[in-house]
Amino acid sequence: MSTTTGNMQSVYLDIPRSDWQLLKDLAKKFGWQTQTSEQRLEAFVKSRPKATKLTEDDIMNEVSAIRYAK
């Protein structure tokens, strides 16, 4: 899978753990950025607002409305 943002192309690879250091070294040599899926998830979670205006009931009401809409 890949996504494009501006001049950057994001590519997701499944590689053996034993090859991860090699890929990181190669990426560094070319000036590319590398992240594991765990690092990407951690960055996403850290970027989320700490306080939201929605309650759990609001969220469940919305889920129910979509799930059971006819």
Side-chain angles (χ1 to χ4, degrees), residues 19-35:
D19 292 339
W20 176 237
Q21 188 60 50
L22 174 64
L23 183 62
K24 283 180 24 178
D25 293 342
L26 181 63
K28 185 176 180 179
K29 184 175 184 174
F30 282 97
W32 302 339
Q33 298 174 356
T34 60
Q35 285 184 313

Side-chain angles (χ1 to χ4, degrees), residues 21-63:
Q21 188 60 50
L22 174 64
L23 183 62
K24 283 180 24 178
D25 293 342
L26 181 63
K28 185 176 180 179
K29 184 175 184 174
F30 282 97
W32 302 339
Q33 298 174 356
T34 60
Q35 285 184 313
T36 64
S37 56
E38 292 84 5
Q39 290 169 326
R40 291 181 60 82
L41 179 59
E42 184 179 336
F44 173 77
V45 169
K46 284 182 179 179
S47 73
R48 301 293 51 166
K50 303 299 181 231
T52 62
K53 297 178 183 179
L54 296 174
T55 66
E56 286 190 36
D57 287 336
D58 293 334
I59 295 168
M60 289 311 299
N61 289 339
E62 197 63 30
V63 168

